[in-house]
Amino acid sequence: MQAEPTTPIAVPPDSELGTLLDRAEHAPVRLEKDGIVYVLRREGDTDYDPDRIRKALDAYAGTMSEEEGDRLKANIYRWRDEDALASQ
């Protein structure tokens, strides 16, 4: 379960953190401290719609060959490994 955000903290626009937040307006920013990676993005910057995803999955179900499915799964595992290595 994800915790709710804390009370907002005012950030001066001309500060170092303000500059970093400007970058997060365009794309998520990855921050690392003591080996822990955080992803900073603007709140509300997501177009994830579970109903839209379900409809798309239903529409494409069964359209992929077994070989294509195996290739896709192998790529997903590879991408996860590469992402894990990149964040270390």
Side-chain angles (χ1 to χ4, degrees), residues 9-26 29 40:
I9 300 169
V11 176
D14 59 344
S15 67
E16 188 175 349
L17 184 54
T19 302
L20 181 63
L21 292 173
D22 289 340
R23 288 180 50 200
E25 285 187 36
H26 307 289
V29 177
L40 174 67

Side-chain angles (χ1 to χ4, degrees), residues 9-86:
I9 300 169
V11 176
D14 59 344
S15 67
E16 188 175 349
L17 184 54
T19 302
L20 181 63
L21 292 173
D22 289 340
R23 288 180 50 200
E25 285 187 36
H26 307 289
V29 177
R30 293 171 61 104
L31 307 169
E32 183 178 344
K33 178 182 177 262
D34 298 327
I36 299 171
V37 176
Y38 302 86
V39 177
L40 174 67
R41 63 171 178 77
R42 261 178 38 168
E43 186 172 39
D45 274 1
T46 180
D47 56 357
Y48 175 73
D49 178 353
D51 290 329
R52 194 180 88 219
I53 299 297
R54 282 187 202 96
K55 287 177 186 174
L57 290 173
D58 288 342
Y60 291 100
T63 62
M64 192 178 286
S65 72
E66 187 174 338
E67 292 80 18
E68 290 172 317
D70 290 341
R71 248 191 332 272
L72 178 60
K73 286 189 272 186
N75 282 334
I76 290 170
Y77 287 121
R78 182 174 53 84
W79 295 329
R80 286 179 181 170
D81 290 343
E82 288 173 358
D83 187 49
L85 290 173

